[in-house]
Amino acid sequence: MLSTDHGAGPVLDLLDALGWAIVDTPEANVHATSPDGCVYVGWLPEDPSAWQRNIVWHVRVQPADGDAWVQKFGLHTPSEAVAGFLAALVTHSSC
């Protein structure tokens, strides 16, 4: 069963296990960067501009030789789904 508590646990556990740099802000937002610096993940539950656009998760990929792209997930996207997306991304990424 997928989580309905809208917590960041599954994603943060994955990123921590992968050795990503993770920073918590005083506002309770979380920013994470992959070891190679190519991927950024933001969990933004307390960012007013993100909430206004129904965004809680912000993923930004900057390939070494290509254009950056962004994927955003809303409040109702289970954290397990975001973790699955990120697991697939890092498994198949040549950033």
Side-chain angles (χ1 to χ4, degrees), residues 2 33-34 51 54 59 69 71 74 87 94-95:
L2 295 177
T33 306
S34 62
W51 271 94
N54 192 33
V59 179
W69 58 272
Q71 178 63 53
S94 61
C95 191

Side-chain angles (χ1 to χ4, degrees), residues 2 5 16-17 22 28 35 43 67 73-74 76 80 82-83 85-86 95:
L2 295 177
D5 68 358
D16 185 49
I22 300 173
W43 185 56
D67 293 331
F73 297 95
H76 301 292
E80 294 89 348
V82 178
F85 170 83
L86 291 168
C95 191

Side-chain angles (χ1 to χ4, degrees), residues 72-92:
K72 300 172 185 173
F73 297 95
L75 174 65
H76 301 292
T77 305
S79 294
E80 294 89 348
V82 178
F85 170 83
L86 291 168
L89 176 68
V90 299
T91 299
H92 301 291

